[in-house]
Amino acid sequence: MTAPKPKDWIMAIAPYVPGRSTTDAGAPIAKLSSNENPLGTSDQARAAFSAHVGDLYRYPDASAADLREAIAAYHDLDPARIIYGTGSDEVLHLAAGAYAGPGDEVIFVQYGFAVYEIATRRVGATVVVAPDKDYATDVDAILACVTPRTRIVFVANPNNPTGTYAPRGEILRLHANLPSDVMLVIDQAYAEYLTPEEDDGGLDLARNAPNVIVTRTFSKIHGLAAERIGWGYGSAEAVAAMHRIRAPFCITTAGQRAAIAALGATDFIEHSRAHNIEWRAWLAGEIAKLGNAGLRVVPSHANFLLVLFEGALTAEVAYRQLMERGIIVRWLPGQGLAQGLRMTIGTETETRVLADALRDIVAEHN
């Protein structure tokens, strides 16, 4: 007898590997592998979540009407043009499912978010990888990859796992030079960590251009990673297409209420952004002092640093020795970054412990 055979393009997917939550010994001192908010969740969001734990027997609002209204009011958007899902990951998959399939091409950069490749292969489309420019998005390289078969371009801004950022002019130039039948998906999972002056104009494009979708998440600065709430904004036609394949009841009642409250927690958002800017700069400065040992920080606009190990001390050795000290960071050989470690900006204590550990490890290898 012959068993059912999965599609070849499904079996070509390398499964997503999340950041580890524990060390080999089982108990972390500092989990700096998943880009979570080290300050936790706002009091307002926690209270709103707790107020709805008694609703477990009821299905959530499948239209997420109140959440869409709150997001629309916060960002000056049309609530009818907001799509939502289990994290922005699902919205990225919805975009791929609606606009690409066998015979189509999807472009993303060499060191882009791992979900882009999974979403592309899942629908049977062809992966096209554009080279980066020193780990940053290269608009000219992306445009050089466009063919008549191109259907989607994924761009993360800031980019994960590199932390690099394409300024507004580059995003506008990319969009202006794409064919009108190519969907530009701008993944803004880390946009809240930017200053207002660094806004890349993605939402403005999505307000006015039919071939732009912007995605965002409540998992990062809002501290709601456990609830997996993401959203996107695009044309009415794009959102209607994605709704056709969106799972019903995809975000919980308590999660929806927590997300609404999180938008109003402006003091928490500002504190989280300021903390990240301060300690990201401090950690980058401390690592720069180790440059003679071959460590290099890729300039970051997100809540993490990508640290390259270009000397005798390898990223793998540093990763394992950090883990022995109870510090979990992200080593990414599966994304072609065997020479790098991605390090989330933690609390002040966690960040200082990480810097001390790196200094000790470097000293041991010199």
Short mmCIF file of all heavy atoms in Angstrom, two decimals, residues 163-217:
data_model
loop_
_atom_site.label_atom_id
_atom_site.label_comp_id
_atom_site.label_asym_id
_atom_site.label_seq_id
_atom_site.Cartn_x
_atom_site.Cartn_y
_atom_site.Cartn_z
N GLY A 163 18.25 43.77 12.92
CA GLY A 163 17.99 45.05 13.59
C GLY A 163 18.17 46.26 12.70
O GLY A 163 17.96 47.40 13.15
N THR A 164 18.54 46.05 11.45
CA THR A 164 18.80 47.16 10.54
C THR A 164 17.49 47.81 10.10
O THR A 164 16.41 47.23 10.19
CB THR A 164 19.60 46.69 9.32
OG1 THR A 164 18.92 45.56 8.74
CG2 THR A 164 21.00 46.28 9.73
N TYR A 165 17.61 49.03 9.57
CA TYR A 165 16.44 49.86 9.28
C TYR A 165 16.62 50.56 7.94
O TYR A 165 17.69 51.11 7.64
CB TYR A 165 16.29 50.89 10.40
CG TYR A 165 15.39 52.06 10.11
CD1 TYR A 165 14.01 51.93 10.14
CD2 TYR A 165 15.93 53.31 9.80
CE1 TYR A 165 13.18 53.01 9.86
CE2 TYR A 165 15.12 54.40 9.53
CZ TYR A 165 13.74 54.24 9.56
OH TYR A 165 12.93 55.30 9.29
N ALA A 166 15.57 50.51 7.12
CA ALA A 166 15.56 51.24 5.85
C ALA A 166 14.76 52.52 6.03
O ALA A 166 13.59 52.47 6.41
CB ALA A 166 14.92 50.37 4.75
N PRO A 167 15.36 53.68 5.80
CA PRO A 167 14.65 54.95 6.04
C PRO A 167 13.49 55.14 5.06
O PRO A 167 13.37 54.45 4.05
CB PRO A 167 15.74 56.00 5.85
CG PRO A 167 16.78 55.35 5.01
CD PRO A 167 16.75 53.90 5.36
N ARG A 168 12.67 56.10 5.39
CA ARG A 168 11.44 56.37 4.65
C ARG A 168 11.69 56.50 3.15
O ARG A 168 10.96 55.93 2.33
CB ARG A 168 10.80 57.65 5.20
CG ARG A 168 9.44 57.99 4.59
CD ARG A 168 8.97 59.36 5.09
NE ARG A 168 7.61 59.64 4.67
CZ ARG A 168 6.54 59.48 5.42
NH1 ARG A 168 6.67 59.03 6.66
NH2 ARG A 168 5.33 59.76 4.96
N GLY A 169 12.74 57.23 2.78
CA GLY A 169 13.01 57.44 1.37
C GLY A 169 13.26 56.14 0.62
O GLY A 169 12.85 56.00 -0.55
N GLU A 170 13.92 55.19 1.26
CA GLU A 170 14.21 53.91 0.62
C GLU A 170 12.94 53.07 0.48
O GLU A 170 12.74 52.40 -0.54
CB GLU A 170 15.27 53.15 1.41
CG GLU A 170 16.67 53.72 1.25
CD GLU A 170 17.15 53.62 -0.20
OE1 GLU A 170 17.66 52.55 -0.59
OE2 GLU A 170 16.99 54.62 -0.94
N ILE A 171 12.08 53.09 1.50
CA ILE A 171 10.82 52.35 1.39
C ILE A 171 9.95 52.93 0.29
O ILE A 171 9.34 52.20 -0.52
CB ILE A 171 10.07 52.37 2.74
CG1 ILE A 171 10.87 51.62 3.81
CG2 ILE A 171 8.68 51.76 2.60
CD1 ILE A 171 11.09 50.15 3.54
N LEU A 172 9.88 54.25 0.21
CA LEU A 172 9.10 54.90 -0.84
C LEU A 172 9.68 54.59 -2.22
O LEU A 172 8.95 54.37 -3.19
CB LEU A 172 9.06 56.41 -0.61
CG LEU A 172 8.33 56.89 0.65
CD1 LEU A 172 8.41 58.40 0.77
CD2 LEU A 172 6.88 56.43 0.63
N ARG A 173 11.01 54.58 -2.31
CA ARG A 173 11.66 54.27 -3.59
C ARG A 173 11.39 52.84 -4.01
O ARG A 173 11.15 52.55 -5.21
CB ARG A 173 13.16 54.54 -3.49
CG ARG A 173 13.92 54.37 -4.80
CD ARG A 173 15.32 54.95 -4.69
NE ARG A 173 16.19 54.13 -3.87
CZ ARG A 173 16.92 53.12 -4.34
NH1 ARG A 173 16.85 52.77 -5.63
NH2 ARG A 173 17.72 52.44 -3.55
N LEU A 174 11.43 51.93 -3.06
CA LEU A 174 11.12 50.53 -3.36
C LEU A 174 9.71 50.41 -3.92
O LEU A 174 9.49 49.80 -4.98
CB LEU A 174 11.29 49.68 -2.11
CG LEU A 174 10.83 48.22 -2.22
CD1 LEU A 174 11.61 47.48 -3.30
CD2 LEU A 174 10.99 47.51 -0.87
N HIS A 175 8.76 51.00 -3.22
CA HIS A 175 7.38 50.90 -3.67
C HIS A 175 7.18 51.55 -5.04
O HIS A 175 6.51 51.00 -5.92
CB HIS A 175 6.43 51.54 -2.65
CG HIS A 175 5.01 51.55 -3.11
ND1 HIS A 175 4.38 52.68 -3.59
CD2 HIS A 175 4.10 50.54 -3.20
CE1 HIS A 175 3.15 52.38 -3.94
NE2 HIS A 175 2.94 51.09 -3.73
N ALA A 176 7.77 52.71 -5.24
CA ALA A 176 7.58 53.44 -6.50
C ALA A 176 8.11 52.67 -7.69
O ALA A 176 7.62 52.86 -8.82
CB ALA A 176 8.27 54.80 -6.41
N ASN A 177 9.07 51.79 -7.48
CA ASN A 177 9.69 51.07 -8.59
C ASN A 177 9.20 49.63 -8.73
O ASN A 177 9.67 48.90 -9.61
CB ASN A 177 11.21 51.10 -8.44
CG ASN A 177 11.79 52.45 -8.78
OD1 ASN A 177 11.98 52.79 -9.95
ND2 ASN A 177 12.05 53.25 -7.75
N LEU A 178 8.26 49.22 -7.90
CA LEU A 178 7.67 47.90 -8.05
C LEU A 178 6.50 47.96 -9.04
O LEU A 178 5.76 48.94 -9.06
CB LEU A 178 7.15 47.38 -6.71
CG LEU A 178 8.17 46.90 -5.69
CD1 LEU A 178 7.47 46.52 -4.38
CD2 LEU A 178 8.97 45.72 -6.22
N PRO A 179 6.31 46.91 -9.83
CA PRO A 179 5.11 46.85 -10.67
C PRO A 179 3.85 46.92 -9.80
O PRO A 179 3.84 46.46 -8.64
CB PRO A 179 5.23 45.49 -11.37
CG PRO A 179 6.69 45.17 -11.31
CD PRO A 179 7.19 45.74 -10.02
N SER A 180 2.79 47.45 -10.34
CA SER A 180 1.57 47.65 -9.56
C SER A 180 0.91 46.33 -9.16
O SER A 180 0.10 46.30 -8.23
CB SER A 180 0.57 48.49 -10.36
OG SER A 180 0.23 47.84 -11.59
N ASP A 181 1.26 45.22 -9.84
CA ASP A 181 0.65 43.94 -9.49
C ASP A 181 1.51 43.13 -8.50
O ASP A 181 1.25 41.95 -8.27
CB ASP A 181 0.38 43.11 -10.74
CG ASP A 181 1.64 42.75 -11.52
OD1 ASP A 181 2.71 43.33 -11.22
OD2 ASP A 181 1.55 41.91 -12.43
N VAL A 182 2.51 43.78 -7.92
CA VAL A 182 3.33 43.15 -6.88
C VAL A 182 2.92 43.73 -5.53
O VAL A 182 2.89 44.95 -5.36
CB VAL A 182 4.83 43.38 -7.13
CG1 VAL A 182 5.65 42.86 -5.94
CG2 VAL A 182 5.27 42.70 -8.41
N MET A 183 2.61 42.85 -4.57
CA MET A 183 2.22 43.30 -3.24
C MET A 183 3.47 43.50 -2.39
O MET A 183 4.26 42.58 -2.22
CB MET A 183 1.30 42.27 -2.58
CG MET A 183 0.79 42.69 -1.20
SD MET A 183 -0.26 44.17 -1.25
CE MET A 183 -1.79 43.46 -1.93
N LEU A 184 3.63 44.70 -1.85
CA LEU A 184 4.71 45.01 -0.92
C LEU A 184 4.18 44.83 0.49
O LEU A 184 3.26 45.54 0.92
CB LEU A 184 5.22 46.43 -1.13
CG LEU A 184 6.26 46.94 -0.13
CD1 LEU A 184 7.52 46.08 -0.15
CD2 LEU A 184 6.59 48.40 -0.39
N VAL A 185 4.75 43.87 1.22
CA VAL A 185 4.34 43.61 2.60
C VAL A 185 5.44 44.15 3.52
O VAL A 185 6.57 43.65 3.50
CB VAL A 185 4.12 42.11 2.85
CG1 VAL A 185 3.70 41.88 4.31
CG2 VAL A 185 3.06 41.56 1.90
N ILE A 186 5.10 45.18 4.29
CA ILE A 186 6.06 45.82 5.19
C ILE A 186 5.77 45.33 6.61
O ILE A 186 4.74 45.66 7.20
CB ILE A 186 5.97 47.35 5.11
CG1 ILE A 186 6.11 47.82 3.66
CG2 ILE A 186 7.04 47.99 5.98
CD1 ILE A 186 5.85 49.31 3.46
N ASP A 187 6.69 44.56 7.13
CA ASP A 187 6.56 43.95 8.45
C ASP A 187 7.14 44.92 9.49
O ASP A 187 8.36 45.09 9.57
CB ASP A 187 7.31 42.62 8.44
CG ASP A 187 7.34 41.91 9.77
OD1 ASP A 187 6.82 42.46 10.77
OD2 ASP A 187 7.91 40.80 9.82
N GLN A 188 6.27 45.52 10.28
CA GLN A 188 6.69 46.54 11.25
C GLN A 188 6.57 46.03 12.69
O GLN A 188 6.15 46.77 13.59
CB GLN A 188 5.86 47.82 11.08
CG GLN A 188 6.07 48.52 9.76
CD GLN A 188 5.32 49.85 9.69
OE1 GLN A 188 4.38 50.10 10.44
NE2 GLN A 188 5.73 50.72 8.79
N ALA A 189 6.97 44.81 12.93
CA ALA A 189 6.84 44.22 14.27
C ALA A 189 7.57 45.04 15.33
O ALA A 189 7.17 45.04 16.50
CB ALA A 189 7.37 42.79 14.27
N TYR A 190 8.64 45.75 14.93
CA TYR A 190 9.45 46.50 15.89
C TYR A 190 9.30 48.01 15.70
O TYR A 190 10.10 48.79 16.23
CB TYR A 190 10.92 46.09 15.76
CG TYR A 190 11.14 44.63 16.05
CD1 TYR A 190 11.08 43.68 15.03
CD2 TYR A 190 11.36 44.18 17.35
CE1 TYR A 190 11.25 42.32 15.30
CE2 TYR A 190 11.53 42.84 17.63
CZ TYR A 190 11.48 41.91 16.60
OH TYR A 190 11.63 40.58 16.87
N ALA A 191 8.26 48.44 15.00
CA ALA A 191 8.11 49.86 14.67
C ALA A 191 7.97 50.73 15.91
O ALA A 191 8.42 51.89 15.92
CB ALA A 191 6.90 50.06 13.76
N GLU A 192 7.37 50.19 16.97
CA GLU A 192 7.16 51.01 18.17
C GLU A 192 8.47 51.35 18.88
O GLU A 192 8.49 52.23 19.75
CB GLU A 192 6.22 50.30 19.15
CG GLU A 192 4.77 50.27 18.71
CD GLU A 192 4.44 49.14 17.75
OE1 GLU A 192 5.35 48.34 17.44
OE2 GLU A 192 3.28 49.05 17.30
N TYR A 193 9.54 50.68 18.53
CA TYR A 193 10.84 51.01 19.12
C TYR A 193 11.53 52.15 18.38
O TYR A 193 12.57 52.64 18.84
CB TYR A 193 11.74 49.77 19.15
CG TYR A 193 11.30 48.78 20.19
CD1 TYR A 193 10.60 47.62 19.84
CD2 TYR A 193 11.53 49.01 21.54
CE1 TYR A 193 10.17 46.72 20.80
CE2 TYR A 193 11.10 48.11 22.51
CZ TYR A 193 10.43 46.97 22.13
OH TYR A 193 9.99 46.09 23.09
N LEU A 194 10.98 52.57 17.26
CA LEU A 194 11.53 53.72 16.53
C LEU A 194 11.05 55.02 17.16
O LEU A 194 10.00 55.07 17.80
CB LEU A 194 11.09 53.67 15.07
CG LEU A 194 11.50 52.44 14.25
CD1 LEU A 194 10.84 52.49 12.88
CD2 LEU A 194 13.02 52.36 14.12
N THR A 195 11.80 56.08 16.94
CA THR A 195 11.32 57.41 17.32
C THR A 195 10.34 57.90 16.25
O THR A 195 10.37 57.40 15.11
CB THR A 195 12.48 58.40 17.45
OG1 THR A 195 13.10 58.55 16.15
CG2 THR A 195 13.52 57.89 18.45
N PRO A 196 9.49 58.85 16.57
CA PRO A 196 8.55 59.36 15.55
C PRO A 196 9.25 59.84 14.28
O PRO A 196 8.71 59.69 13.18
CB PRO A 196 7.84 60.52 16.27
CG PRO A 196 7.90 60.13 17.72
CD PRO A 196 9.23 59.45 17.90
N GLU A 197 10.46 60.38 14.42
CA GLU A 197 11.19 60.88 13.26
C GLU A 197 11.65 59.75 12.33
O GLU A 197 11.99 60.00 11.17
CB GLU A 197 12.41 61.68 13.71
CG GLU A 197 12.08 62.96 14.48
CD GLU A 197 11.62 62.68 15.92
OE1 GLU A 197 11.99 61.62 16.47
OE2 GLU A 197 10.90 63.53 16.47
N GLU A 198 11.67 58.54 12.84
CA GLU A 198 12.13 57.40 12.05
C GLU A 198 10.99 56.65 11.34
O GLU A 198 11.24 55.62 10.71
CB GLU A 198 12.90 56.42 12.95
CG GLU A 198 14.19 56.98 13.50
CD GLU A 198 14.82 56.06 14.54
OE1 GLU A 198 14.11 55.58 15.44
OE2 GLU A 198 16.04 55.82 14.44
N ASP A 199 9.79 57.15 11.42
CA ASP A 199 8.66 56.50 10.75
C ASP A 199 8.99 56.28 9.27
O ASP A 199 9.38 57.22 8.57
CB ASP A 199 7.42 57.38 10.91
CG ASP A 199 6.21 56.84 10.15
OD1 ASP A 199 6.17 55.62 9.87
OD2 ASP A 199 5.31 57.65 9.83
N ASP A 200 8.83 55.04 8.81
CA ASP A 200 9.22 54.74 7.43
C ASP A 200 8.12 55.01 6.41
O ASP A 200 8.31 54.77 5.21
CB ASP A 200 9.72 53.29 7.31
CG ASP A 200 8.62 52.25 7.51
OD1 ASP A 200 7.43 52.63 7.61
OD2 ASP A 200 8.94 51.05 7.59
N GLY A 201 6.98 55.50 6.85
CA GLY A 201 5.91 55.85 5.92
C GLY A 201 5.09 54.68 5.44
O GLY A 201 4.25 54.83 4.54
N GLY A 202 5.28 53.49 6.03
CA GLY A 202 4.56 52.31 5.57
C GLY A 202 3.05 52.43 5.71
O GLY A 202 2.31 52.07 4.78
N LEU A 203 2.58 52.92 6.84
CA LEU A 203 1.14 53.06 7.02
C LEU A 203 0.54 54.08 6.06
O LEU A 203 -0.57 53.90 5.55
CB LEU A 203 0.81 53.42 8.47
CG LEU A 203 0.84 52.26 9.47
CD1 LEU A 203 0.57 52.77 10.88
CD2 LEU A 203 -0.18 51.18 9.10
N ASP A 204 1.28 55.15 5.78
CA ASP A 204 0.80 56.11 4.79
C ASP A 204 0.66 55.46 3.42
O ASP A 204 -0.32 55.70 2.69
CB ASP A 204 1.76 57.30 4.70
CG ASP A 204 1.66 58.23 5.90
OD1 ASP A 204 0.61 58.21 6.58
OD2 ASP A 204 2.63 58.96 6.16
N LEU A 205 1.63 54.63 3.06
CA LEU A 205 1.53 53.91 1.79
C LEU A 205 0.31 53.00 1.78
O LEU A 205 -0.44 52.94 0.80
CB LEU A 205 2.80 53.08 1.55
CG LEU A 205 4.02 53.80 1.01
CD1 LEU A 205 5.20 52.85 0.95
CD2 LEU A 205 3.75 54.40 -0.37
N ALA A 206 0.11 52.27 2.89
CA ALA A 206 -1.00 51.33 2.94
C ALA A 206 -2.36 52.04 2.91
O ALA A 206 -3.35 51.47 2.45
CB ALA A 206 -0.89 50.47 4.20
N ARG A 207 -2.39 53.27 3.41
CA ARG A 207 -3.64 54.04 3.34
C ARG A 207 -4.04 54.34 1.90
O ARG A 207 -5.22 54.43 1.58
CB ARG A 207 -3.49 55.36 4.10
CG ARG A 207 -3.46 55.25 5.61
CD ARG A 207 -3.42 56.66 6.23
NE ARG A 207 -3.36 56.58 7.68
CZ ARG A 207 -2.23 56.65 8.39
NH1 ARG A 207 -1.06 56.77 7.75
NH2 ARG A 207 -2.26 56.57 9.70
N ASN A 208 -3.04 54.51 1.04
CA ASN A 208 -3.30 55.06 -0.29
C ASN A 208 -2.98 54.14 -1.46
O ASN A 208 -3.49 54.37 -2.56
CB ASN A 208 -2.50 56.36 -0.45
CG ASN A 208 -2.85 57.40 0.60
OD1 ASN A 208 -4.00 57.80 0.70
ND2 ASN A 208 -1.87 57.81 1.39
N ALA A 209 -2.14 53.15 -1.25
CA ALA A 209 -1.72 52.29 -2.37
C ALA A 209 -2.39 50.92 -2.25
O ALA A 209 -2.34 50.30 -1.19
CB ALA A 209 -0.20 52.14 -2.37
N PRO A 210 -2.98 50.41 -3.32
CA PRO A 210 -3.65 49.11 -3.25
C PRO A 210 -2.70 47.93 -3.16
O PRO A 210 -3.15 46.81 -2.90
CB PRO A 210 -4.46 49.07 -4.55
CG PRO A 210 -3.72 49.96 -5.49
CD PRO A 210 -3.15 51.05 -4.65
N ASN A 211 -1.41 48.16 -3.37
CA ASN A 211 -0.46 47.04 -3.37
C ASN A 211 0.51 47.11 -2.19
O ASN A 211 1.68 46.73 -2.31
CB ASN A 211 0.31 46.97 -4.69
CG ASN A 211 1.21 48.17 -4.91
OD1 ASN A 211 0.93 49.27 -4.43
ND2 ASN A 211 2.30 47.96 -5.65
N VAL A 212 0.03 47.59 -1.04
CA VAL A 212 0.84 47.62 0.19
C VAL A 212 0.04 47.08 1.35
O VAL A 212 -1.13 47.47 1.55
CB VAL A 212 1.32 49.05 0.52
CG1 VAL A 212 2.09 49.06 1.86
CG2 VAL A 212 2.21 49.60 -0.58
N ILE A 213 0.65 46.17 2.11
CA ILE A 213 0.09 45.67 3.36
C ILE A 213 1.15 45.90 4.44
O ILE A 213 2.32 45.55 4.25
CB ILE A 213 -0.25 44.17 3.28
CG1 ILE A 213 -1.35 43.92 2.25
CG2 ILE A 213 -0.68 43.64 4.66
CD1 ILE A 213 -1.55 42.44 1.93
N VAL A 214 0.75 46.50 5.54
CA VAL A 214 1.64 46.68 6.69
C VAL A 214 1.18 45.74 7.80
O VAL A 214 -0.03 45.61 8.05
CB VAL A 214 1.62 48.14 7.19
CG1 VAL A 214 2.29 48.27 8.55
CG2 VAL A 214 2.31 49.05 6.18
N THR A 215 2.13 45.07 8.46
CA THR A 215 1.78 44.19 9.58
C THR A 215 2.45 44.69 10.85
O THR A 215 3.56 45.22 10.83
CB THR A 215 2.22 42.73 9.32
OG1 THR A 215 3.65 42.65 9.27
CG2 THR A 215 1.64 42.22 8.02
N ARG A 216 1.73 44.47 11.97
CA ARG A 216 2.25 44.85 13.28
C ARG A 216 1.84 43.79 14.31
O ARG A 216 1.04 42.91 14.02
CB ARG A 216 1.77 46.23 13.70
CG ARG A 216 2.39 47.36 12.89
CD ARG A 216 2.43 48.64 13.67
NE ARG A 216 3.04 49.72 12.92
CZ ARG A 216 3.29 50.91 13.44
NH1 ARG A 216 2.98 51.18 14.71
NH2 ARG A 216 3.85 51.86 12.70
N THR A 217 2.38 43.94 15.52
CA THR A 217 2.13 42.94 16.55
C THR A 217 2.02 43.59 17.92
O THR A 217 2.59 44.66 18.16
CB THR A 217 3.23 41.88 16.57
OG1 THR A 217 2.92 40.89 17.54
CG2 THR A 217 4.59 42.50 16.92
#
